[in-house]
């Protein structure tokens, strides 16, 4: 029999899809790693499993332990899935600005959800660095009160290692090593840093570009004119602690409108129902494909499922 002992054994090995319909007629070819097809619906499954198993190996987790994490939703959902399988209680601390579907999924997976009000002037669906600071403060408080193990994805090296060891290797194999550009949005920077480092070790000429919101391109060194944007779970208008500028070759920016239009095109023309950040990645890839050398191969990430945004304006 070919079965899994648990759902966490199915993490990874996601498809690589050429976006041949929306990229038709452009000089470059766009390929998208369908990370939304991980079992809990996002690329964060990989880091959740890695960080929990490393904590187990280090003796930081015991039977009956409580796990806590600050999250925009996707990492929390992935951790809730992993903790359900492994028997740990899980507490997710998140901003009220994140989509309600995320908290509903967390609760369905047995997690306790601690919602933190947004900073003054906050808007639902647009979580800022100020909002995230409040979430981190509440996480620290709860961690002390509960004696929980704090995963801390923003500082945990397992975040980068998961993508270095798995996602990047899959990308390289699926593309037969024929990659000219890799691009991705940055949240914790685990995905970008882990993948870019691994790909550059294999081909130093391969270019890795960051995608940022047009009004909050802090990694590119531009002033933040508006920290509120639709790329949930990414681009908090501050430099993440796992960021490594040494593996970045360039920067691209996208507006909210470009991200939304690209996400809608992904669904309507490619049959790929994905979220805002996937739309941002694809919008940037389309621009790059328009001016790169003919036949250049561009790889990006489809970060999470569009099912998590049905209450938003994304598909309305």
């Amino acid at each position: 029999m070919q079965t899994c002992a648990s759902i966490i054994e199915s993490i990874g090995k996601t498809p690589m899809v050429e976006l041949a319909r929306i990229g038709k007629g452009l000089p470059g070819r766009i390929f998208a790693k369908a990370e939304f097809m991980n079992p809990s619906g996002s690329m964060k499954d990989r880091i959740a499993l890695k960080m929990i198993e490393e904590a187990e190996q280090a003796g930081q987790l015991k039977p009956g332990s409580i796990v806590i994490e600050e999250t925009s939703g996707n990492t929390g959902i992935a951790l809730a899935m992993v903790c359900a399988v492994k028997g740990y209680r899980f507490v997710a601390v998140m901003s009220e600005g994140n989509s309600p579907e995320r908290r509903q999924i967390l609760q369905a997976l047995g997690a306790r959800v601690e919602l933190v009000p947004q900073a003054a002037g906050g808007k639902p669906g647009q979580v800022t660095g100020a909002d995230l600071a409040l979430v981190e403060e509440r996480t620290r408080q709860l961690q002390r009160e509960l004696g929980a193990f704090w995963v801390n994805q923003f500082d945990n090296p397992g975040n980068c290692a998961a993508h270095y060891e798995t996602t990047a290797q899959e990308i390289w194999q699926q593309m037969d090593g024929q990659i000219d550009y890799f691009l991705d949005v940055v949240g914790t920077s685990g995905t970008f840093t882990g993948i870019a480092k691994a790909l550059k070790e294999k081909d130093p000429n391969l270019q890795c570009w960051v995608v940022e919101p047009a009004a909050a391109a802090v990694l590119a060194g531009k002033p933040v004119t508006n920290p509120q944007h639709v790329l949930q779970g990414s681009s908090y208008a501050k430099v993440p602690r796992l960021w490594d500028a040494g593996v970045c070759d360039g920067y691209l920016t996208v507006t909210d409108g470009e991200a939304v239009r690209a996400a809608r095109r992904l669904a309507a023309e490619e049959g790929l129902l994905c979220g805002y950040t996937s739309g941002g990645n694809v919008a940037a890839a389309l621009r790059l494909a328009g001016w790169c050398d003919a036949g250049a191969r561009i790889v990006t990430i489809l970060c999470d499922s569009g099912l998590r945004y049905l209450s938003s304006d994304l598909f309305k």
Side-chain angles (χ1 to χ4, degrees), residues 36-264:
F36 72 96
M37 294 184 70
N38 275 299
S40 89
S42 85
M43 62 188 181
K44 299 297 187 178
D45 287 10
R46 297 178 187 264
I47 71 169
L49 181 60
K50 177 72 172 177
M51 294 187 296
I52 290 296
E53 290 191 338
E54 285 188 343
E56 290 174 331
Q57 292 162 9
Q60 296 172 293
L61 286 174
K62 308 289 185 182
S65 289
I66 300 173
V67 176
I68 191 169
E69 179 62 334
E70 59 173 308
T71 176
S72 66
N74 284 334
T75 301
I77 290 168
L79 283 167
M81 176 186 68
V82 173
C83 288
V85 170
K86 290 181 172 286
Y88 303 121
R89 289 183 290 166
F90 178 60
V91 180
V93 188
M94 63 189 300
S95 171
E96 288 183 344
N98 291 120
S99 64
E101 289 90 342
R102 298 187 184 201
R103 73 188 71 151
Q104 291 167 348
I105 295 169
L106 281 162
Q107 291 167 335
L109 288 168
R112 168 185 165 183
V113 179
E114 182 81 8
L115 290 178
V116 179
Q118 290 186 268
K123 297 180 180 179
Q126 298 178 346
V127 177
T128 68
D131 296 327
L132 195 65
L134 295 174
V135 172
E136 182 171 333
E137 180 182 355
R138 182 56 178 150
T139 302
R140 291 182 185 277
Q141 293 172 348
L142 280 173
Q143 189 271 332
R144 291 192 294 267
E145 293 172 11
L146 301 172
F149 168 70
W150 181 16
V151 178
N152 196 5
Q153 60 177 313
F154 287 88
D155 284 295
N156 196 318
N159 185 345
C160 294
H163 292 294
Y164 177 93
E165 295 170 3
T166 67
T167 323
Q169 309 309 319
E170 292 173 24
I171 289 172
W172 187 258
Q173 293 168 5
Q174 289 168 323
M175 296 298 295
D176 293 328
Q178 302 299 307
I179 309 168
D180 297 289
Y181 297 92
F182 167 71
L183 58 86
D184 189 24
V185 296
V186 168
T188 64
S189 194
T191 308
F192 181 86
T193 298
I195 294 175
K197 181 179 179 181
L199 293 180
K200 281 185 167 292
E201 287 178 355
K202 295 178 181 297
D203 180 3
N205 294 319
L206 190 155
Q207 293 197 27
C208 298
W209 289 50
V210 160
V211 179
E212 296 187 275
V218 67
L219 297 179
K222 297 180 180 179
V224 177
T225 58
N226 184 3
Q228 296 173 324
H229 56 81
V230 300
L231 303 184
Q232 292 188 29
S234 69
S235 304
Y236 293 113
K238 67 177 183 177
V239 178
R241 295 183 285 271
L242 295 175
W243 169 246
D244 181 359
V247 295
C248 178
D249 296 292
Y251 305 87
L252 292 165
T253 60
V254 296
T255 65
D256 284 0
E258 288 173 327
V260 168
R261 287 190 292 273
R264 291 174 177 173

